[in-house]
Amino acid sequence: MSASSPATQLPHISPGRKRKDAIMRGSLLAGTIIALIPLVLVIYYLLYKGLSAATASGFFTTDPTGNFFGNPGGIRSAIFGTLEIVALASLIAIPVGIAVALYLTEYGKEGWFANVVRYFVDVMTGVPSVVFGLFIYIVLVISHAGGSGFAGWKGALALALLMLPIVIRSSEVVLQLVPSSLREAALALGAPRWRIIWRVVLPTARSGLVTGSLLAVARGMGETAPLLFTVSLATAVTGNLNSQMNSLPLQIFTDITNPRDVIVARAWGAALTLVALVLILNVVARLISRRSSMT
Amino acid sequence: MEASVTTATGVRDRFERSPAARLPDQVLQAGLTVLAVLILGIIGYFFIRLIGESSDALNKFGASFVFGNDWDVSRNIYHGAPLVIGTLITSAIALLIGVPVAVATALYLTELCPRRFRPALAMLVDLLAAVPSVVYGLWGVFVLGPKLLPVEKWFANTFSFIPFIGGGGNTITPGNYFIAGLILAIMILPIVSAISREVLATVPAENKEAALALGATRWEMIRMSVLPYARPGITGGAMLGLGRAIGETIAVVLVIGNAATIGHHIFSQGYTLAAVIANEFNEAANQPLHSSALFAAGLVLFILTLIVNIIARWFVRRGTRKLRAPEADPGDAPAPGGAAPAPAGATS
C-alpha cells in the first residue's frame, strides 16, 4: 500500500486507528472461530463416545430389549421407525408444500390472499415444534382417532406440519427464479396452464425443489418434541403406522435419563447414527443446489 | 379469454379451447387455492382447540397462571411465573452470547474472509443448525455440563459480589440457567448468522467503496457504512433467534435442572415453558387440571413466539425492502430454510 512517489502519498493513518482496525478484525475472526468450536466439539464427542457403541455387535441389527438389567440391545427399531415416520411425513409435506408454492407463484402472485398465505407460512416457521406436537396430541391422540392413541402416522403429521413451511418457502424462492419468458413462450405456443406447470416450471426448478425438500426432511428427522407427544415409544420393529413406534430421537432422549452406562453409550451410538443421517441429507442437498445453475 | 367470444370474425374460435379442455386448468387452480385455504384453516382450528383445552387451567388461575410464583404439582396449583421467568432468563443469556458471535461470524464471512474459503466456512456454520436438539442435549448433559461446572463455581465465587451471578458458590449443579442459555446460544447462532449474512450481502458496494475512498480502515468502513445499513435486518435476525430460543424444548429440558422455582442467580436450577411440557407430560396424563395447565403453558409459549416472530418479520422485511425495492419482491424476507443456503434449523 505504501506509495513510493511523494506525489501519490496516501493520507497518514494514525497508529491508534490502525491498532483499532487490527483489534476489530481479530475479534471478528475470533468470533468465527468461537462459532465453530461447538460443532467441532460435538462431532468429536459423537465419534469418541458413539463409535465404540455403534461398532458393538448387534447395534444395528437388534431391537432395544427394554430390560433394565442385562443386555440393552441395539437400535434397529429406532432406525426403522425414524425412516418410516419421516418417509410418511415427507410424502405429505413435500407435495403439499410444492403445491402451495405453485399456488403462490403461478396463481396467487401478489394478490392479497397470496400475501396472507405467505405471512402465515412465515409465522409458521417460527412456531416451536413442541406446539405442533401438542396440536396433534389434542386433536388426534386424546380423541383416539383411527382407533389408536399414540401412533406413527400422527407423529408423521406433526413432522409434516413442521416441514411444510420450510418446503413452501424454499420452493417459492426457486419457482420465482424460473424465467417468465419460459412461461410466456409456452403460453404463446398454446399450452394450457397445467401443462406449463408440469412440463416447464417444475422441470426447470427441479434441483432447487429437491434441495429445499431434502433440507426439510433433514430438519424433520432430528425433531424429538413432536414425536414425544404423538408416537410415544415401542421396542420392536413395526410396519404398522397405526401403533406406537420407536424412533432415533426418542430412543436417545429416553436413554439419556437412564442411569446405566451401557444405555447411555447406546444414546451416543444412536446420536452418531442420527447426526450421520442428517448430515448426509444436508450435504447431498447442498451438492445438488451447487450443481444446478439456477440457485 | 372471455373477450374472444365476442369476436365476430370467428378466426379466434378455432384457437379457442373447448370448455372441456379448459377444465383441467380450472380444477388445478381451484385445487391449489383450496389447499392454501385448508392449511390456514387447519392452523386456525388447532389454535382454537389449544385454547379450548387450556381453558380449565386459565379459568381457574387467571392472570396468576403467568404472574403467580407457585408451580406445585402435588398441591395441583399451577402459577407459572417460574417458567415464564426461566424462559426469559435462558433466552436472554442465549441472545447475549449468541448474537455477537453470530454477527461477528457474518461480518467476517462477508467482509474479511478470503473469497475462496467463504463457501466452506459458511457451510460449516450452517451445519451447526443441522445437529438435532436432542444431540445438543446429550452433549450438554454428559460433556458440557460436567466440564463447565468447576469454571462456573470459580466464576460464582470470584465474582460473588455481582448480583445475579454470585450467591450460588459451591452449591451450583450441572443443570442451570447458564448451561441452558449457552446451549441455546449455540442453537440460534446459525440462524442469526445466516440472516445477518443475507442482509450484509445487500449492502451496496458503493457505500463501502465510498468509505474506503475517504481513507477509512476496514473496521471503520464496517462500522460507518455496513452496520448502519444492515441494522434492521440484523435486529430481525436476532429476534428470529429469540423465537427459536423461547420455543426450544428437548435440549433445554435435559440441561436446566427442572426446578419450578425462580432462581436467584444465573447458575441456579430452573424451568422453562417448553421444558415443563416435555418433562411433566407423562405424569399429567391422568390429572385433567395438570394437563390443562401444560396446554396453557403451550398456549402462552405459542403466543409469545408468535409476537416475537411478527416483530422479527417486520424488522427483517423493513431491512430488506429498503434494499431490494427495485426488484419489487416483497414476499422475500429471508426465512430460515428459505433460500437454499439457509440452514435447516433444528428445534424441538
Side-chain angles (χ1 to χ4, degrees), chain A residues 53-75:
Chain A
T55 47
S57 74
F59 186 72
F60 294 110
T61 52
T62 58
D63 292 339
T65 54
N67 295 338
F68 187 78
F69 301 105
N71 178 16
I75 58 164

Side-chain angles (χ1 to χ4, degrees), chain A residues 290, chain B residues 108-124:
Chain A
R290 190 170 301 175
Chain B
Y108 181 77
L109 280 172
T110 48
E111 305 296 338
L112 300 178
C113 181
R115 211 162 270 277
R116 65 201 148 117
F117 297 132
R118 270 180 210 180
L121 264 181
M123 192 176 103
L124 282 180

Side-chain angles (χ1 to χ4, degrees), chain A residues 61-126:
Chain A
T61 52
T62 58
D63 292 339
T65 54
N67 295 338
F68 187 78
F69 301 105
N71 178 16
I75 58 164
R76 183 178 62 167
S77 63
I79 295 176
F80 274 96
T82 282
L83 293 182
E84 287 170 63
I85 294 170
V86 171
L88 181 60
S90 310
L91 276 179
I92 302 166
I94 294 173
V96 174
I98 292 178
V100 173
L102 277 175
Y103 167 76
L104 292 176
T105 52
E106 306 298 318
Y107 293 105
K109 301 204 169 97
E110 294 302 320
W112 69 270
F113 182 68
N115 279 330
V116 168
V117 173
R118 270 188 202 104
Y119 187 74
F120 277 95
V121 168
D122 266 359
V123 168
M124 253 174 94
T125 38

